[in-house]
Amino acid sequence: MDNFLLTVMAYDCFVAICHPLNYLLIMNPHFCVLLVLMSWLIVFCSSLLYILLMERLNFSIGTKIPHFFCKLAQVLKVASSDTLINNIILLVATTLLCVFPVTGILFSYSQIISSLMRMSSSESKYKAFSTCGYQLCVVSLFYGTALGVYLSSAVTHSSKKSSHFSNVHRGHPLLNPFIYSLRNKDVKGALGRLLSIAASGP
């Protein structure tokens, strides 16, 4: 769901910066609701598919999963029956559910950067970048920690280390309100004063 919502937000920034005169026409409330509903429906259908595929698996009594979030890949590892079909569908679905959103995000930001480069005024560049800069931080935080989780699970076989990385990845929504509140002048001022006090030291 995060993938799709970040893609919708990237598209929103793309329309705001690249097509500002048509923004209200394109991003009308009905279209926004449709995008969110489509995201929810896709995620619901994929989750339902995973649940139906889990029905065909057998598990030993007293099976324990040494993982904090009990991800589907961790559940498949402890199954006592053949998981080949599940693994193939999981791989295909994960690829589709990640490749399309990431492609949409990359396309949107490439168009945004292209538009920023064509702007002559530095003030308009700053204003346009401030529109999507905070969201870019959220996207970087989300995909950066996600990459860390999956690379760490591929490199290390320690379930304890893997669960630590998962906690970092799932903790990023807690930072979103802080990142977006940096657009507020009062918050910026308070943060600047706090940093100057910390820099001056005791």
Side-chain angles (χ1 to χ4, degrees):
M1 190 65 180
D2 287 336
N3 283 318
F4 288 106
L5 290 180
L6 288 173
T7 307
V8 170
M9 290 167 69
Y11 179 71
D12 178 66
C13 279
F14 161 72
V15 175
I17 292 171
C18 300
H19 305 284
L21 298 177
N22 294 324
Y23 179 78
L24 292 176
L25 183 66
I26 297 170
M27 297 303 291
N28 61 71
H30 296 293
F31 184 62
C32 292
V33 169
L34 180 65
L35 288 174
V36 173
L37 283 176
M38 279 177 53
S39 302
W40 184 85
L41 187 64
I42 291 167
V43 173
F44 176 79
C45 290
S46 65
S47 299
L48 184 62
L49 177 65
Y50 293 152
I51 291 168
L52 293 174
L53 286 169
M54 293 302 287
E55 284 287 317
R56 56 183 296 278
L57 299 180
N58 297 318
F59 297 90
S60 303
I61 295 172
T63 300
K64 291 183 180 179
I65 300 171
H67 208 268
F68 189 74
F69 286 105
C70 191
K71 295 191 177 217
L72 190 57
Q74 302 294 330
V75 176
L76 293 177
K77 283 181 184 177
V78 297
S80 55
S81 54
D82 183 39
T83 59
L84 180 63
I85 294 172
N86 294 68
N87 282 320
I88 291 170
I89 291 176
L90 176 63
L91 181 66
V92 170
T94 303
T95 303
L96 291 175
L97 293 176
C98 289
V99 167
F100 284 115
V102 170
T103 304
I105 289 170
L106 290 175
F107 173 78
S108 296
Y109 281 111
S110 67
Q111 294 298 310
I112 288 168
I113 291 168
S114 177
S115 292
L116 288 174
M117 298 300 280
R118 288 195 301 268
M119 290 179 183
S120 54
S121 167
S122 58
E123 185 181 342
S124 57
K125 280 183 182 179
Y126 175 77
K127 189 176 179 182
F129 182 75
S130 66
T131 304
C132 63
Y134 300 101
Q135 189 200 326
L136 193 57
C137 290
V138 172
V139 169
S140 302
L141 187 64
F142 176 75
Y143 285 107
T145 54
L147 197 61
V149 168
Y150 293 109
L151 286 178
S152 70
S153 62
V155 171
T156 181
H157 296 289
S158 168
S159 59
K160 191 173 182 182
K161 285 183 182 177
S162 182
S163 65
H164 287 319
F165 279 108
S166 293
N167 289 339
V168 172
H169 175 57
R170 287 296 162 203
H172 81 87
L174 298 174
L175 295 174
N176 289 353
F178 174 73
I179 291 170
Y180 284 117
S181 67
L182 289 175
R183 297 182 75 167
N184 186 310
K185 289 180 181 178
D186 295 332
V187 174
K188 279 184 184 176
L191 185 62
R193 289 192 295 275
L194 184 66
L195 291 174
S196 62
I197 292 169
S200 62

